[in-house]
Amino acid sequence: MNGNSNGFGSAAAVAAADYIRRHHLHEVGENQCSSALLKHIKAPVPLVWSLVRRFDQPQKYKPFVSRCVAQGNLEIGSLREVDVKSGLPATTSTERLELLDDDEHILCIKIIGGDHRLKNYSSIISLHPEIIDGRPGTLVIESFVVDVPEGNTRDETCYFVEALIKCNLKSLADVSEGLAVQDRTERIDL
């Protein structure tokens, strides 16, 4: 489990560990790696969720996504074709929506194709309310499991994926906190 402490105490760590046990269950195979990362965001859960839940618009906060075309009505099994910005060792990714829970604030995706080395990649992102500096905030937990590509080690694979997720979570925090300052929450269509 990785994350930034931001001065949060042991009670927050215990809560995070409990959330991971309850919501971030991955079956990790022999040639796979897995990890969970935490991010504390100074914005309320509904605002952060309004960005995260948009399976059809990951580019709203994911800086490496240049374009996304979603198929279906954003229900379990819906697919999206993602174009990745240059500079990464990929240009496309095909992803399937595995879970979208608006009550528990959980989104699960699985990568099912693309020109990259992230085979059998699955991620879970969950949002949890917390108080940060006396104001409503959000604890975001993102976990993943992925095959270790031939020629790479478990550590190298985890390090690469964690770096991408950390960048996405930092961007999610920046966008969410910017909207919170403006007191703007996107509408959540259920």
Side-chain angles (χ1 to χ4, degrees):
M1 178 172 60
N2 295 311
N4 54 349
S5 64
N6 288 349
F8 290 86
S10 61
V14 169
D18 183 52
Y19 295 141
I20 290 169
R21 263 192 308 284
R22 286 191 292 155
H23 303 296
H24 295 265
L25 305 174
H26 294 283
E27 299 258 342
V28 182
E30 187 177 320
N31 192 39
Q32 293 185 309
C33 68
S34 182
S35 185
L37 294 96
L38 312 176
K39 184 70 176 173
H40 300 278
I41 298 179
K42 295 178 182 179
V45 168
L47 190 154
V48 180
W49 183 243
S50 74
L51 295 166
V52 170
R53 77 172 308 280
R54 294 305 305 259
F55 177 75
D56 59 334
Q57 295 180 6
Q59 68 273 24
K60 285 189 172 255
Y61 74 92
K62 291 186 175 188
F64 300 116
V65 175
S66 61
R67 184 174 152 266
C68 176
V69 177
Q71 304 160 5
N73 294 328
L74 296 186
E75 56 195 17
I76 306 305
S78 293
L79 299 178
R80 69 182 180 194
E81 296 290 332
V82 174
D83 292 339
V84 179
K85 291 183 179 174
S86 65
L88 288 178
T91 58
T92 63
S93 182
T94 304
E95 302 169 1
R96 182 176 57 226
L97 181 61
E98 299 287 303
L99 175 67
L100 178 64
D101 187 327
D102 284 308
D103 295 326
E104 294 287 328
H105 303 109
I106 302 171
L107 174 80
C108 304
I109 66 148
K110 183 171 184 72
I111 294 178
I112 59 170
D115 65 347
H116 50 74
R117 299 179 71 203
L118 299 179
K119 304 300 180 213
N120 292 314
Y121 179 91
S122 181
S123 77
I124 300 169
I125 187 166
S126 64
L127 280 57
H128 311 277
E130 63 180 1
I131 302 299
I132 302 174
D133 298 333
R135 301 184 61 115
T138 303
L139 169 61
V140 180
I141 303 172
E142 186 163 353
S143 64
F144 69 91
V145 63
V146 66
D147 289 358
V148 175
E150 191 172 316
N152 289 91
T153 66
R154 230 180 223 95
D155 287 345
E156 290 167 339
T157 304
C158 270
Y159 181 81
F160 174 75
V161 175
E162 287 172 354
L164 291 175
I165 291 173
K166 285 177 186 176
C167 188
N168 286 339
L169 292 176
K170 182 186 181 321
S171 179
L172 177 61
D174 292 345
V175 171
S176 298
E177 290 169 0
L179 290 171
V181 166
Q182 298 171 25
D183 198 25
R184 290 181 39 208
T185 304
E186 291 191 16
R187 187 170 158 226
I188 299 176
D189 297 320
L190 301 178

